[in-house]
Amino acid sequence: MLQSALLAPGHADLVTHVTYDFYGERLATCSADQKIQIFRKTPENTWDRETGWKAHDAPILHLSFAHPVHGSLLASSSHDRSVRIWEEPTGRERDGRWIERAVLTGAKGSVKQVEFGTADAGSEPRVASISTDSYLRIYTSADPSLSDWTLLQPIYIPSLPQPGSSDETPVDSSASTSSNELANGGWGLSWCKERWWGSVIASFAGISPIVKILSIPQDSSSSPTSLIFLNPPNNSSQAPLTSISWAPSCGRAYHLIASGSRDGTVRIWRLEPPGEKLRTDYNDLDGDAGSAGGAWKGECVADFGKGGARIGMVDWNATGTTLTTTDDEGIVRIYKPTYARSWKLLGQMSAEEPTHEESNGH
């Protein structure tokens, strides 16, 4: 695969995350140098640095752009145990750094990932984060200035009740993260991209290889509900997870979720939601809400890569039809399903310069 562009040097240390905005016209990067850089695509398909600023007091780990329906917002998470909400300046301030609207605290460990929720016109923006204390935290804001954010119930992922259980979801736990988990564990989350089922999110924490899917209530008066736990097949890797991504459904009757593991395993799940009548927007005139069945079903449809380098990221394209992975060897791989329902490697690329022999076709 050919390199199409190279970003100008903007960081003084390791780059930890790169993300596009909704339209793919802007690119945000963060680094261990505690800074965020914003690049904008030009008509010549090059990327010009737009702005950059010191955003945290420790290395930054993850970034997430909000959907444009909520404005030009960016969330960042860091080893300093905080999530920060940034808004693009307008008017006279447009040439300056982005404005810090809120600092969300409460985590008792490094905040490994942050992600804005699904866009829904007329609803309040939501942002989820997960930290090394294994708590999933959902924040929402009804403040037009975005300076006031409310924390919904913090969710301790390791103690979530089994789907269908009558036990309440634990919102507090005295358990602490062990040194083994901090060294070998992983923490991640990904929102369901389709809003018809309400706020649904996939998450994992610690050294467990299990992906847990749960439904988040609209406010703190109700508890989150476990929908389904995705356990790896018996003959598959049990290594801790490192990354997760929920694919856009684009009209499919099922969902796809991809996960990456510490031992290089990439796993793809096919997730089938319950019947049409259990959608949050369904107006059942007969009042028969449960006739279609309420159980989510999951099946592992692909499992490959075991024994390779640690997976750093898995991510889908805009239609959920191709999967991209990165690993600790610096290799980006792209996969696509075949008619036989297997997943084929389309190509791979590396950030390293090709050798002289390779560049000459030898």
Side-chain angles (χ1 to χ4, degrees):
M1 302 185 73
L2 299 177
Q3 176 179 293
S4 60
L6 181 66
L7 297 182
H11 292 289
D13 208 330
L14 178 72
V15 175
T16 53
H17 192 228
V18 178
T19 187
Y20 288 96
D21 70 354
F22 180 80
Y23 297 110
E25 296 296 321
R26 269 195 297 204
L27 192 65
T29 65
C30 62
S31 167
D33 65 4
Q34 308 173 16
K35 294 180 180 179
I36 294 174
Q37 305 283 348
I38 305 291
F39 298 84
R40 183 181 288 275
K41 189 176 182 180
T42 68
E44 294 76 29
N45 289 326
T46 60
W47 293 87
D48 291 345
R49 181 181 177 276
E50 192 173 60
T51 186
W53 67 95
K54 182 179 182 297
H56 285 264
D57 298 321
I60 305 172
L61 300 176
H62 206 267
L63 300 171
S64 176
F65 277 105
H67 190 280
V69 74
H70 295 307
S72 189
L73 303 178
L74 179 70
S76 60
S77 66
S78 167
H79 275 305
D80 65 9
R81 302 184 176 187
S82 72
V83 170
R84 305 195 182 204
I85 308 297
W86 307 90
E87 185 174 28
E88 183 181 16
T90 57
R92 295 179 180 177
E93 301 174 325
R94 190 169 183 83
D95 293 332
R97 53 167 263 177
W98 285 38
I99 301 169
E100 181 183 282
R101 292 304 186 191
V103 180
L104 312 180
T105 59
K108 297 179 176 63
S110 301
V111 185
K112 288 289 191 177
Q113 189 170 347
V114 63
E115 185 176 309
F116 276 103
T118 307
D120 189 0
S123 68
E124 303 168 354
R126 284 189 168 195
V127 65
S129 69
I130 191 165
S131 54
T132 55
D133 60 7
S134 294
Y135 277 92
L136 175 68
R137 294 175 172 87
I138 314 291
Y139 301 87
T140 183
S141 176
D143 182 5
S145 68
L146 300 172
S147 60
D148 184 19
W149 290 74
T150 301
L151 171 64
L152 301 181
Q153 294 178 354
I155 306 163
Y156 188 62
I157 296 299
S159 296
L160 279 172
Q162 289 289 331
S165 171
S166 58
D167 297 337
E168 292 188 359
T169 301
V171 296
D172 192 13
S173 175
S174 58
S176 59
T177 305
S178 67
S179 57
N180 178 50
E181 281 187 303
L182 290 174
N184 301 308
W187 293 265
L189 63 91
S190 185
W191 288 95
C192 174
K193 306 303 185 292
E194 185 177 312
R195 62 185 176 87
W196 309 119
W197 304 101
S199 294
V200 178
I201 196 168
S203 184
F204 64 88
I207 57 176
S208 171
I210 301 173
V211 175
K212 300 183 178 183
I213 314 295
L214 57 154
S215 176
I216 307 299
Q218 292 299 315
D219 53 50
S220 58
S221 62
S222 302
S223 297
T225 304
S226 299
L227 299 178
I228 186 173
F229 289 177
L230 303 178
N231 295 277
N234 294 331
N235 59 348
S236 179
S237 166
Q238 302 295 315
L241 301 177
T242 56
S243 180
I244 190 170
S245 180
W246 197 311
S249 65
C250 290
R252 291 188 296 264
Y254 59 88
H255 299 271
L256 293 174
I257 296 177
S259 66
S261 302
R262 181 168 288 273
D263 68 349
T265 299
V266 175
R267 197 172 288 124
I268 300 173
W269 295 90
R270 176 186 169 119
L271 194 63
E272 296 185 5
E276 188 87 356
K277 291 186 177 181
L278 290 183
R279 284 171 38 155
T280 58
D281 65 331
Y282 188 89
N283 185 15
D284 187 2
L285 299 178
D286 299 327
D288 188 15
S291 62
W296 289 65
K297 299 177 181 179
E299 176 190 7
C300 183
V301 295
D303 192 312
F304 53 86
K306 183 178 180 180
R310 173 186 175 274
I311 299 298
M313 179 213 70
V314 293
D315 203 4
W316 299 92
N317 66 342
T319 57
T321 53
T322 60
L323 176 68
T324 301
T325 70
T326 65
D327 61 31
D328 282 357
E329 293 179 345
I331 298 177
V332 178
R333 294 180 174 88
I334 302 174
Y335 298 90
K336 186 176 180 66
T338 66
Y339 288 109
R341 296 187 179 181
S342 61
W343 287 77
K344 179 182 179 181
L345 177 65
L346 284 184
Q348 64 183 44
M349 50 189 164
S350 172
E352 296 182 359
E353 292 290 337
T355 63
H356 178 73
E357 290 77 7
E358 290 175 338
S359 62
N360 284 282
H362 298 298

